[in-house]
């Protein structure tokens, strides 16, 4: 029997991620089911208050996914048809799709090779060129699908893998050109940038609660902001466009049903009360990985930069040396029962974006390089040290 078969025969199958749940969460959800109130109600309000307090936000508005939250932010800050929004191609696709929902144009700029976060120097250059207009604009716009007569409205950043983007220079650029900043903090609940909480670094931010995130509500998300008008708009839009004062069948705006329900909120409330414990468990898994992987040639570990007071680990992503063929590594890991993911496939190279905007390989070299070499290993707060050991051994054997 080969070694792989042996691993198989002992039934080793590691999960890519997994929620960290206790009886407290199960009981909280069960309790809601003993009440008649299942859609938005007191649980949602309590959950919102918990998140608002944690990040120091004046408003927190719960919705039924991170994507829904981002979409409402885009709408609320006034981004519309043909507007330009500077954003990153190194992200989960939702951060850019939400711009397309409002027929805005994502203007991609490349990322910092250390963190994978949007490069503030390029953002400043793009903002200067795009506000000046004329020929300079061409450098930043896609080959087709975007009018050169757009208006630059906002910067939409992503806190990649749970490390905040470098916000000070980004906010500097935003205020210089009168731009809104939207922070996609869907991967970064609990992260801290220069002693300030992620999610609150820009004008409006979003966290997400899919089961692989730091806390989960099953499906869910939340918008946080200090701006009253935008908060009111997000509240109205998540609830079929009902403005304050509207009755149930009056709809002032074109809205959506993006409401979070009571079961999700009850689950989320317990998860929030355990947030620091959950983050510490994830940090412990990161240490177990680090101790085992730091000496393996051909592997680079994810780096934290000095502006990151605290990283909130969302995924555990390593980078393979360019000489190592990732596809083969992933296949060999798979035969040992270890799943892995190529984080991220760059957004500009996703089929819809290629077709709609004519993007080509080579346009965002740092993003593409990270996209080709990054490998997410199984990661969650409930992983055991034995499982981490198993993954690391499997990885050593799989590097070829
Ligand atoms: C998870 C995530 C989202 C939102 O995900 P949902 O599944 O809609 O909750 C958005 N942006 C990024 C970067 C994410 O990682």
């Amino acid at each position: 029997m080969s070694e792989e078969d042996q691993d198989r025969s002992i039934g080793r199958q590691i999960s890519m991620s997994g929620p960290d749940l206790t009886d407290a969460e199960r009981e909280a959800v069960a309790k809601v089911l003993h009440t008649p109130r299942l859609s938005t109600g007191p649980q949602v309000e309590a959950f919102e208050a918990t998140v608002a307090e944690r990040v120091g936000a004046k408003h927190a508005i719960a919705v039924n996914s991170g994507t829904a939250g981002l979409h409402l932010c885009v709408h609320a800050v006034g981004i519309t048809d043909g507007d330009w929004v500077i954003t990153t191609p190194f992200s989960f696709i939702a951060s850019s799709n939400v711009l397309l929902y409002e027929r805005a144009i994502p203007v991609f700029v490349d990322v910092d090779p250390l963190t994978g976060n949007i490069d503030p120097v390029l953002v400043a250059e793009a903002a200067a060129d795009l506000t000046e207009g004329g020929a300079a604009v061409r450098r930043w716009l896609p080959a087709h699908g975007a009018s050169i007569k757009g208006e630059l409205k906002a910067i939409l950043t992503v806190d990649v893998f749970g490390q905040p983007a470098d916000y000070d220079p980004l906010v500097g650029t935003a205020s210089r050109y009168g731009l809104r900043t939207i922070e996609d903090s869907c991967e970064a609940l609990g992260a801290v940038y220069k002693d300030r909480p992620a999610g609150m670094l820009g004008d409006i931010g979003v966290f997400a609660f899919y089961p692989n995130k730091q806390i989960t509500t099953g499906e869910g998300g939340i918008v946080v902001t200090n701006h009253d008008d935008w908060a009111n708009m997000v509240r109205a839009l998540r609830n079929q466009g009902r403005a304050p004062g509207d009755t149930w069948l009056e709809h002032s705006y074109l809205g959506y049903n993006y409401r979070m329900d009571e079961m999700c909120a009850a689950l989320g409330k317990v998860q929030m009360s355990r947030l620091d414990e959950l983050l510490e468990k994830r940090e412990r898994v990161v240490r177990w990985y680090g101790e085992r992987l730091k000496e393996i040639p051909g592997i680079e570990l994810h780096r934290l930069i000095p502006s990151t007071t605290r990283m909130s680990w969302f995924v555990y992503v390593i980078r393979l040396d360019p000489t190592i063929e990732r596809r083969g590594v992933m296949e060999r890991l798979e035969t040992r029962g270890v799943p892995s993911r190529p984080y991220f496939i760059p957004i500009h190279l996703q089929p819809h974006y290629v077709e709609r905007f004519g993007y080509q390989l080579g346009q965002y070299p740092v993003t593409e390089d990270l996209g080709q070499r990054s490998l997410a290993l199984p990661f969650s707060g409930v992983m055991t040290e034995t499982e981490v050991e198993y993954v690391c051994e499997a990885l050593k054997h799989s590097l070829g």
Side-chain angles (χ1 to χ4, degrees):
M1 206 190 269
S2 76
E3 220 179 308
E4 278 105 280
D5 291 339
Q6 260 173 29
D7 290 337
R8 276 279 186 219
S9 70
I10 58 167
R12 233 0 142 163
Q13 178 60 50
I14 309 278
S15 308
M16 194 62 214
S17 70
D20 184 334
L21 302 173
T22 65
D23 283 344
E25 280 89 342
R26 296 179 192 103
E27 280 158 24
V29 175
K31 221 165 140 191
V32 172
L33 295 173
H34 287 283
T35 75
R37 193 90 186 247
L38 303 183
S39 183
T40 299
Q43 295 295 327
V44 170
E45 275 176 34
F47 177 56
E48 289 175 340
T50 319
V51 175
E53 199 202 323
R54 170 74 191 210
V55 301
K58 191 167 173 200
H59 306 281
I61 305 114
V63 288
N64 53 19
S65 74
T67 307
L70 285 166
H71 180 197
L72 296 189
C73 289
V74 169
H75 191 120
V77 307
I79 293 165
T80 181
D81 249 8
D83 284 344
W84 299 329
V85 178
I86 297 174
T87 191
T88 169
F90 190 64
S91 172
F92 181 65
I93 196 160
S95 64
S96 180
N97 280 353
V98 295
L99 298 169
L100 303 190
Y101 297 165
E102 295 296 325
R103 297 162 310 282
I105 306 298
V107 177
F108 292 129
V109 305
D110 216 342
V111 298
D112 178 298
L114 269 186
T115 61
N117 279 327
I118 199 163
D119 184 335
V121 175
L122 290 175
V123 171
E125 275 177 41
D129 285 351
L130 292 165
T131 14
E132 190 179 290
V137 159
R138 275 265 158 249
R139 175 180 166 205
W140 304 98
L141 293 187
H144 56 76
S147 161
I148 57 159
K149 294 207 180 72
E151 185 192 340
L152 182 61
K153 280 274 181 70
I155 304 171
L156 192 158
T157 62
V158 179
D159 299 328
V160 172
F161 305 152
Q163 175 155 243
D166 191 3
Y167 248 84
D168 280 350
L170 292 169
V171 166
T173 299
S175 48
R176 181 151 176 207
Y177 298 100
L179 309 174
R180 316 293 196 205
T181 45
I182 300 175
E183 184 181 4
D184 177 347
S185 214
C186 288
E187 304 189 348
L189 177 68
V192 182
Y193 170 82
K194 299 184 183 174
D195 297 320
R196 308 197 303 267
M200 294 301 291
L201 303 171
D203 294 318
I204 192 164
V206 182
F207 301 113
F209 309 125
Y210 186 77
N212 69 343
K213 310 278 176 175
Q214 290 87 340
I215 74 160
T216 188
T217 59
E219 296 285 357
I222 202 162
V223 175
V224 288
T225 184
N226 287 334
H227 289 245
D228 299 338
D229 293 348
W230 297 344
N232 288 338
M233 185 53 94
V234 169
R235 262 182 225 291
L237 295 180
R238 79 166 164 184
N239 190 21
Q240 302 285 17
R242 295 180 183 103
D246 280 359
T247 65
W248 191 250
L249 290 174
E250 288 175 334
H251 309 273
S252 294
Y253 313 113
L254 172 64
Y256 306 86
N257 179 357
Y258 283 170
R259 293 184 299 261
M260 177 178 275
D261 70 43
E262 288 285 277
M263 290 76 77
C264 292
L267 171 51
K269 211 174 61 172
V270 180
Q271 290 263 288
M272 273 307 289
S273 73
R274 299 178 54 219
L275 179 60
D276 284 310
E277 175 206 336
L278 296 178
L279 296 181
E280 278 157 26
K281 285 167 85 175
R282 295 171 90 92
E283 283 162 0
R284 191 173 60 166
V285 175
V286 167
R287 280 198 302 277
W288 290 335
Y289 266 126
E291 288 157 10
R292 288 163 178 82
L293 296 182
K294 65 174 191 281
E295 306 297 352
I296 302 184
I299 288 182
E300 245 179 86
L301 304 187
H302 198 66
R303 285 222 239 140
L304 271 64
I305 54 169
S307 59
T308 304
T309 312
R310 183 182 202 179
M311 168 130 179
S312 172
W313 291 86
F314 164 55
V315 280
Y316 193 81
V317 177
I318 58 169
R319 289 180 199 164
L320 302 179
D321 192 88
T323 57
I324 299 173
E325 202 240 329
R326 184 176 63 183
R327 186 71 255 157
V329 176
M330 292 179 70
E331 282 165 10
R332 288 189 288 277
L333 280 171
E334 191 62 48
T335 63
R336 290 168 190 267
V338 176
S340 58
R341 301 264 189 278
Y343 258 65
F344 293 107
I345 297 170
I347 296 176
H348 67 283
L349 299 177
Q350 299 281 358
H352 180 77
Y353 285 78
V354 171
E355 196 181 304
R356 183 162 174 167
F357 297 113
Y359 287 117
Q360 289 173 357
L361 194 66
Q363 286 187 275
Y364 300 97
V366 181
T367 294
E368 290 164 12
D369 177 59
L370 296 180
Q372 272 160 16
R373 298 198 289 121
S374 298
L375 189 67
L377 299 176
F379 181 68
S380 74
V382 293
M383 257 184 116
T384 63
E385 189 164 13
T386 314
E387 285 176 320
V388 172
E389 175 74 28
Y390 181 83
V391 172
C392 293
E393 282 305 308
L395 182 63
K396 275 183 217 164
H397 290 289
S398 303
L399 286 172

